Amino acid sequence: MMNGTSQSMARSPRRSVEVTEVIEWRDGETRRVVDYLAAEEPLEIRIFSAGASSVPVSVTMRTPGHDLELAAGFLLTEGIIDDAQELLGIHALTDETTGKSNVVEVEISSSEYDPAAMQRNFFAASSCGICGKASIEAIRRRGLRASNPGFRVTPEVLCSLGEKLRSDQAIFEMTGGLHAAGLFTASGELLTSREDIGRHNAVDKIVGWALLEKQLPLSEHILMVSGRGGFELAQKAIAAGIPVMASVSAPSSLAVKLSRELGLTLVGFLRGSRFVIYSGAERLLQSAS
């Protein structure tokens, strides 16, 4: 059980946190206390183009907040759109009965978008899991390339990122139940961070923020994520043009394979003054001296 502060509540997006009563056991005694929970609700993303009716392409369980960024980031990292110019409109729909906004509709300009194929491909991938060779081949067919081979960051700056991201996790501070993603400059400045129950959603929110702010590609930036660095996060970083991705825990084998093939610098076990380089060491092995 974690006690939040009024400052943390003020920083948290509305609906991201719920309050409940729980029973705490400590040293043989119990008491009723108030606890904060990270909210979890479904978000449906619908797409339409050329005057056609909207079609649902994804339903993800997420922490409410920054939903437009999440939808925009998802469209880009999944290859449905390539840049902000293809995004003609985006808005949330509110249920008149519940008052909740759990649907985002997006209008895109792409004349080649096939909603039926997108539904089949996305829901199949979600349900059956990732096949390594097929997944890397699909990303290769998208034409994604290594981002900014000249980008450099010192080990000293890299080691400073974890504490900066942790200190900006307002909802985690209250609930202890969220993943986080942070976007940093080469000098270690935290530009923005996002939290979500899904680490992939946190990254999509970061990418969506950059897309809506017309900051893509993120070729001069570092992405840091809490938890492990999986394949899905690596491909999202590559799609956004990010040259360096770091995670608190280990990457997956497929994330390492993808990073080595497509030139993403991948760092794992970034904790304190230690980290492990799995790919792209040339961007990191420089001393501040």
Side-chain angles (χ1 to χ4, degrees):
M1 193 279 297
M2 302 191 63
N3 291 319
T5 65
S6 57
Q7 180 180 9
S8 295
M9 184 68 82
R11 291 170 58 197
S12 306
R14 190 168 64 90
R15 292 176 56 216
S16 296
V17 178
E18 295 183 5
V19 180
T20 189
E21 186 179 82
V22 298
I23 298 175
E24 179 186 43
W25 185 97
R26 178 180 296 185
D27 297 327
E29 296 183 356
T30 61
R31 61 172 182 152
R32 291 186 177 274
V33 294
V34 171
D35 197 13
Y36 295 107
L37 301 176
E40 181 177 21
E41 296 179 11
L43 178 70
E44 180 180 296
I45 301 174
R46 301 175 182 171
I47 300 177
F48 63 96
S49 61
S53 300
S54 63
V55 177
V57 296
S58 170
V59 177
T60 183
M61 298 302 296
R62 96 306 189 190
T63 300
H66 307 291
D67 290 340
L68 300 187
E69 294 176 353
L70 173 55
F74 172 84
L75 296 188
L76 185 121
T77 60
E78 294 298 324
I80 300 173
I81 61 174
D82 294 321
D83 53 49
Q85 293 182 342
E86 296 182 42
L87 193 66
L88 300 183
I90 181 169
H91 62 277
L93 302 181
T94 301
D95 187 286
E96 295 181 358
T97 302
T98 65
K100 293 186 176 182
S101 299
N102 285 333
V103 176
V104 171
E105 274 195 340
V106 187
E107 182 180 6
I108 62 175
S109 62
S110 175
S111 59
E112 300 178 358
Y113 168 64
D114 182 350
M118 179 62 197
Q119 283 182 304
R120 288 193 302 271
N121 293 341
F122 178 74
F123 286 114
S126 299
S127 61
C128 70
I130 292 174
C131 169
K133 291 182 179 180
S135 297
I136 290 180
E137 176 58 31
I139 291 175
R140 189 185 295 118
R141 287 197 301 269
R142 288 174 58 184
L144 299 179
R145 296 290 183 269
S147 173
N148 194 0
F151 181 80
R152 297 292 184 270
V153 59
T154 66
E156 292 80 6
V157 165
L158 198 65
C159 289
S160 73
L161 305 186
E163 180 58 33
K164 293 175 182 177
L165 179 59
R166 177 66 182 83
S167 64
D168 205 55
Q169 292 178 240
I171 308 176
F172 180 85
E173 180 183 342
M174 301 173 65
T175 66
L178 289 179
H179 293 288
L183 187 68
F184 295 85
T185 66
S187 63
E189 176 190 358
L190 177 61
L191 295 181
T192 190
S193 68
R194 294 292 183 266
E195 297 179 272
D196 201 279
I197 56 168
R199 55 174 60 88
H200 57 291
N201 290 338
V203 172
D204 274 340
K205 288 177 179 181
I206 290 283
V207 176
W209 169 83
L211 177 70
L212 296 176
E213 294 294 323
K214 296 181 171 53
Q215 297 293 318
L216 293 177
L218 295 171
S219 55
E220 299 287 340
H221 300 81
I222 307 158
L223 176 69
M224 181 168 182
V225 298
S226 63
R228 65 181 179 83
F231 170 86
E232 189 174 14
L233 303 191
Q235 69 94 7
K236 288 178 183 296
I238 292 169
I242 295 171
V244 178
M245 186 181 89
S247 62
V248 174
S249 298
S252 68
S253 62
L254 195 58
V256 173
K257 292 177 183 178
L258 178 67
S259 299
R260 290 177 177 175
E261 177 168 337
L262 294 186
L264 173 69
T265 294
L266 186 64
V267 173
F269 294 108
L270 178 55
R271 305 172 186 176
S273 60
R274 177 184 181 271
F275 57 83
V276 177
I277 306 170
Y278 292 86
S279 172
E282 67 279 358
R283 290 193 178 102
L284 298 174
L285 295 183
Q286 293 185 349
S287 172
S289 60

